[in-house]
Amino acid sequence: MASSGPTILVAEDSAEQRSLYVAILAAAGYRVLEASDGEEAVATVRRERPDLVLMDVTMPRTSGWNAVRALKEDPETMDVPIIVVTGLVGSWDRDASIAAGADEHLAKPVSPPQLLKEVRKFLPR
């Protein structure tokens, strides 16, 4: 979606969930990229250098946690903030997200105002 605002990658295997996040973010003025699995997310971040990544955990090919680890270990992408957005809601899951290198962990379902509030912590307007 075309926009001149900051760029956000939405990495989510559920097309319905991904479309919802894209609509919310685009309406708020962000440029939004999409990935449907962890490998695609890593490749897109390396190619496009988004300003922020929203990363699901349970995805095909490479899990979100492995994708976060790969991005945070790469000197070229380690500074890109990553918010894990997942249905895994236990304290262990939050700890695993942070241990992988995520900057924040949000439990699904995420309301549009909550999503934008968290995004704006990393991308102030």
Side-chain angles (χ1 to χ4, degrees):
M1 304 206 146
S3 172
S4 60
T7 301
I8 300 173
L9 170 64
V10 175
E12 166 67 61
D13 64 322
S14 163
E16 181 180 317
Q17 196 74 49
R18 196 170 58 247
S19 293
L20 175 64
Y21 295 154
V22 168
I24 292 165
L25 296 166
Y30 296 102
R31 177 176 170 253
V32 185
L33 306 172
E34 301 179 47
S36 60
D37 64 58
E39 282 185 22
E40 185 182 5
V42 171
T44 301
V45 171
R46 288 180 173 153
R47 183 180 65 249
E48 299 288 334
R49 301 286 195 255
D51 299 294
L52 177 70
V53 176
L54 299 180
M55 181 81 69
D56 185 23
V57 169
T58 309
M59 291 192 292
R61 295 177 22 161
T62 298
S63 76
W65 285 328
N66 286 337
V68 169
R69 245 182 243 102
L71 292 168
K72 291 300 186 173
E73 290 172 357
D74 182 339
E76 297 292 319
T77 57
M78 66 188 326
D79 293 334
V80 176
I82 301 174
I83 301 174
V84 166
V85 184
T86 181
L88 303 176
V89 298
S91 61
W92 183 92
D93 301 304
R94 179 177 183 73
D95 292 346
S97 293
I98 302 305
D103 297 278
E104 185 58 78
H105 175 101
L106 292 179
K108 292 178 184 174
V110 179
S111 70
Q114 181 187 14
L115 181 67
L116 291 173
K117 177 182 174 189
E118 293 301 322
V119 164
R120 288 180 180 132
K121 286 181 184 177
F122 296 95
L123 300 175
R125 298 302 290 213

